[in-house]
Every structure is written in C-alpha cells, then in structure tokens.
Amino acid sequence: MDKCAFFVPVFVFLLPLLSYAFSRKRKRHEQKTKLPPGSMGWPCIGETLRLYSQDPNVFFSTRHTRYGEIFKTHILGCPCVMLASPDAARFVLVTQAHLFKPTYPKSKEILIGPSALFFHQGEYHMRLRKLVQGSMYPESLRKLVTGIEALTVSALSSRADGRVINTYNEMKRLSFEVGILAVFGYLEPHYKEELKKNYIIVDRGYNSFPTNLPGTPYRKAMKARKRLSEILVNITRERKEKKLLEKDLLSCLLNSKDDNGEILSEEQIADNIIGVLFAAQDTTASAMTWIIKYLYDSPKLLEAVKAEQKVIYESNGNGKSPLTWYQTRNMPFSYKVILESLRMASIISFTFREAVTDVEYKGCLIPKGWKVMPLFRNIHHNPEFFADPQKFDPTRFEGAPKPNTFMPFGSGVHACPGNELAKLEMLILVHHLTSQFRYELVGSESGIQYGPFPVPLHGLPASFWKEE
Ligand code: HEM
C-alpha cells in the first residue's frame, strides 16, 4: 500500500485531536499565567482620557500603588503592561530584551527617518549603535570641551542683560548647537543655518496631529524633512571628497563597512544623523532647565556649587584659560547635583516596547503584540530605593544607588549612547552659569508642562546677568 494512502486518513483523524490537545494546553497556560491586574477602561478609548486629564505621573503612580509593580491598562489605542520595579525593567530591557522590540508611532518614524537606529533590533541596530558610541568615546568628547564651552558662554552672555527669557527655548538652542558640533565637527555657517531652519519646522510638526492636509504643521514638517535630507546629502558628498580623518559621527558613519564590505547609504546616514539630533536636543535641554530651577530653589546648594566652580574658574585665570577635560571630570559636587536633577526630573519617565511573543513574567502573561512600558520615574521616586524621594538631595549620590534603580539613560541594548556627552554639556553649563552669572526666576507659578518631556511651566521664565 502507498504510504500516503495510510498516513493521510490517520493524519485527518488525528488533526482535530491534536488541535484540541494544543488548545487545551494553551488555555491551561493562559489560566496558569493570568493577565496582570489593572483596568482596561472603556471600550476602544481605554484609559486614554484619564491619562490626558491628569498629570501622567499621578496616573501611573496611583495605579502602581493600587495594583503593585506590574499592571495592565489600555491607552492611545493599545493594550499595555506597565512595569514599575527594577527587576521588571531589567527583564524587559536587558535579560529578555530580544522578546521586546522598540515601538514608535508610524508618523514619528516617517519624520525622523525609518533607518534611524532606535527603530531597529538585531544586527543593523548593533552596527549603528557601535558607530554612535564610537563617536562618543572619551577621546572624541575630550576634543569637544572647548567647542561646547564657547557655545555655552555665547548662549549665556547673549541673554545676560536682565530681560526675561524662556530658559527651555534657550537651552534647546544650545543643545542643538552642541548636537551639530558632535555630529559634524566644524560645519560651514550656511549649512548650519539651513539645517536649523528646517529642523525647527520638523520639530514643530513632530508632536502635532499627523495629518497630511495642506497647511498643517505635520505636512510642513514632512516637506522640511525632505529638505533636511537634501542638505545632509550635500554635506556628506562634500565630506567624502575632502577625505577628512575626523572622529565625529558623520565620519564614523561614512567610514563604516559591514562584514560584506557594504557601506551605509546616503539615506541611512541622513536618518541616523537626524535621529541623533532629535534624541539629543529636547532631553538635554529639559535636563539643563531643571538643573537651573533646582539650584535656584535651593540657595544653599547653589552656594556649594558656586564654591566648587569658582575654584576652577580662578585656577583658569578667571576664565582666561579654557576649561579642560580633566577639570570637567573633577567637579564632584556639581556632578551629584546633575545626577539628582536627572532622578528628580526623570525626563524620560518611561519607554515603550512591544512583546514579540507571549511572555511570562512572575506568573503574569504579557500577550504578544501588547505594549510594555518600564516606568523609570516610578522607580526613581520609590522611597524603597530613594529615601524621601521628593526632596532634592544630591548627597544621596555619595554612595552608588541599588542596582537597576537609577536609569535616567535607560538600560540594556538601547541605553543612551549620548549620556557622557549630555553630562559633559550639563557640567560645562553649571561651571559657567555659577561662576560668572546670576539669575532670577520670574513669576510665582510653578508646575510642569509636557512637550513631551517634562519641563518647568512656561519653559522657566528667568532673567540672567553677568556678575561684575
Ligand atoms: C539628559 C539627556 C538625555 C537623556 C535623559 C537621554 C535618555 C535616553 C534614554 C532613556 C534612552 C533609552 C530609550 C529606550 O530605551 O527606549 C536613550 C536612547 C538614545 N539616546 Fe539619549 N538621552 C539624553 C541625551 C542624548 C544625547 C546628547 C544623545 C546624542 C548622542 C542621545 C542619543 C540617544 C540615542 C541615539 C538613543 C537610542 C539608542 C538605541 O536605540 O540604541 N541621547 N536616551
């Protein structure tokens, strides 16, 4: 008898039995591993309105208190699992990172450029990540100190006439300039102006409603993004012709070859440059704005920082010699102020991943396709890890925090490759601000606005003066 003639009827008979057995097994698995506690809110809209009608930190922390370290919700059209413990964050970001992919709204991916590293996992992501990290090694950052210092002094001096300014906007201008410096090294002024002009339009559209209707900020941003690509292609081609041996990001991207000797395309280079500029600007600007606020609110701490910085300033002949890399590595109290500002403000309050398969964590099921959000801010503000968490106290960083409890720059395969550059910018700002300037915050209103990162209300209106 033909083998098939025997096996086919047996298979046809067994198939329903097998599928029944498998479905029972899956059901048993689902029963054993239940969804985490929490509310999915109303049909379709879930808890989105609740999230938007209150401070997002209150939204997350009330649920954290009610349900514990892992809970479910439904926001922005997606079922989500929130994770508010160091172990859970480590599980998603480090030990089981391959089970969770980065996820961003399509509209944002289109504006930044789909080849930017943070939209990817695996080999391409690792290759690009190494290139960005390579351009941020100490030997590269060391060369940026004088340039960052010049940009910082110019930013502070140009506003030090007592008029009221929006501090966040000024910090955004500064962090953009520093981003350009880190990516291109020296860049001809006409290119810089063109990049700035179009980048501002993309930035405005980034958080607007993503519709392609004529006249909308999103449509304008798409057009400006196209122009940015054209400018970047011109800069890249010129750089190739000059064959410069620089260590900035553009050179690292241009000189990279994969295992098969393939170079990166012009589009991949442009997407990653814009991605890095985006990742660098608002985050660092927000952190610097918070540092200015926290220091103003704590006159004793401001005095202690001033004392540390004045010694350095005077040893440089009252600013006649430039700040050195070594000096930026030796500002222990100011450094702790920066760490505490990053903890208090928790600029990236949480991040998003998506489960690529059903995952079990401590008896809870995280179903495939659900969003997963490690809540950095909840961990940074948990009294179990940081005593009296609402108090601004830099001395808490005299000892190292418990493992996985302090993640202002994330953790694992997508952790921030720009963290040393960001800290360098903040230290240089603190040095010049406190050794040569004084400032006053304007207005009595205090609070936080989200754009989308937390920023003091109205961008922290303030007046600055140069000290005589
Ligand atoms: C205070 C300033 C900054 C903060 C708080 C910050 C925070 C973070 C965090 C939390 C992540 C991880 C996000 C995730 O896991 O989903 C991240 C990723 C990233 N950051 Fe930063 N960042 C800052 C400044 C910078 C700067 C100056 C650069 C410029 C080089 C930069 C470039 C990046 C890039 C390229 C990624 C994606 C890394 C990857 O996917 O592998 N960031 N940042």
Side-chain angles (χ1 to χ4, degrees), residues 38-50:
S39 160
M40 300 298 272
W42 294 88
C44 301
I45 54 167
E47 295 199 293
T48 310
L49 290 180
R50 282 217 185 102

Side-chain angles (χ1 to χ4, degrees), residues 266-427:
E266 284 175 343
E267 193 184 291
Q268 287 171 326
I269 293 180
D271 289 4
N272 279 289
I273 288 178
I274 293 170
V276 165
L277 289 175
F278 252 88
Q281 194 195 17
D282 287 9
T283 46
T284 317
S286 167
M288 293 194 291
T289 309
W290 282 110
I291 293 170
I292 293 173
K293 172 161 173 51
Y294 293 140
L295 283 179
Y296 186 82
D297 290 344
S298 323
K300 271 196 184 149
L301 294 179
L302 180 57
E303 278 316 306
V305 172
K306 260 181 194 280
E308 177 172 270
Q309 296 299 344
K310 280 269 182 194
V311 173
I312 299 172
Y313 183 67
E314 282 159 16
S315 74
N316 283 348
N318 288 340
K320 285 198 184 79
S321 313
L323 200 58
T324 64
W325 168 253
Y326 177 79
Q327 286 171 328
T328 63
R329 305 268 106 184
N330 286 285
M331 301 176 171
F333 191 68
S334 307
Y335 188 67
K336 285 183 207 109
V337 165
I338 286 168
L339 297 183
E340 178 66 343
S341 302
L342 289 168
R343 182 195 71 81
M344 278 286 279
S346 291
I347 288 134
I348 309 272
S349 310
F350 55 82
T351 185
F352 274 106
R353 296 287 187 272
E354 186 182 306
V356 295
T357 180
D358 282 358
V359 183
E360 190 189 326
Y361 176 72
K362 289 195 177 169
C364 283
L365 175 71
I366 304 175
K368 178 180 174 182
W370 280 39
K371 307 286 180 208
V372 179
M373 297 162 65
L375 301 176
F376 300 129
R377 191 188 174 90
N378 290 54
I379 298 171
H380 295 164
H381 286 246
N382 186 335
E384 212 183 302
F385 313 126
F386 297 97
D388 201 357
Q390 299 315 321
K391 184 174 172 205
F392 187 86
D393 178 10
T395 62
R396 69 171 85 240
F397 283 96
E398 267 157 20
K402 287 186 190 146
N404 311 308
T405 58
F406 184 56
M407 293 170 282
F409 294 105
S411 186
V413 284
H414 287 278
C416 181
N419 74 91
E420 287 299 331
L421 172 64
K423 287 190 266 188
L424 181 63
E425 273 179 79
M426 294 184 247
L427 286 166

Side-chain angles (χ1 to χ4, degrees), residues 159-223:
R159 301 288 181 245
D161 51 12
R163 80 196 122 125
V164 180
I165 58 159
N166 177 317
T167 310
Y168 177 58
N169 284 348
E170 296 307 323
M171 293 300 116
K172 267 186 88 155
R173 262 189 265 275
L174 173 59
S175 59
F176 182 76
E177 294 275 351
V178 174
I180 294 280
L181 182 72
V183 172
F184 302 101
Y186 173 76
L187 186 64
E188 284 176 33
H190 73 98
Y191 277 139
K192 215 187 215 183
E193 278 317 304
E194 279 299 297
L195 282 179
K196 222 188 271 182
K197 199 171 83 192
N198 288 291
Y199 182 92
I200 289 171
I201 304 171
V202 177
D203 189 41
R204 248 181 242 140
Y206 188 74
N207 291 313
S208 68
F209 187 72
T211 165
N212 209 2
L213 291 173
T216 56
Y218 190 76
R219 166 94 160 223
K220 286 183 190 161
M222 299 261 284
K223 284 189 176 164

Side-chain angles (χ1 to χ4, degrees), residues 250-268:
L250 176 58
S251 298
C252 291
L253 295 170
L254 273 175
N255 297 329
S256 154
K257 285 189 181 149
D258 69 8
D259 295 343
N260 304 319
E262 292 285 324
I263 58 167
L264 291 167
S265 69
E266 284 175 343
E267 193 184 291
Q268 287 171 326

Side-chain angles (χ1 to χ4, degrees), residues 91-153:
F91 178 82
V92 171
L93 301 173
V94 185
T95 54
Q96 302 301 317
H98 58 288
L99 303 177
F100 301 95
K101 64 175 184 188
T103 163
Y104 290 81
K106 200 80 207 145
S107 57
K108 301 210 187 297
E109 199 177 309
I110 291 171
L111 270 193
I112 302 272
S115 303
L117 74 158
F118 37 74
F119 300 131
H120 295 265
Q121 256 186 320
E123 237 172 77
Y124 177 76
H125 167 254
M126 281 319 282
R127 177 182 176 199
L128 265 299
R129 187 177 162 77
K130 277 194 192 136
L131 292 172
V132 178
Q133 278 173 325
S135 70
M136 304 281 155
Y137 284 152
E139 62 262 33
S140 307
L141 291 187
R142 181 190 292 265
K143 290 192 197 135
L144 296 181
V145 173
T146 311
I148 299 176
E149 184 178 29
L151 292 170
T152 308
V153 171

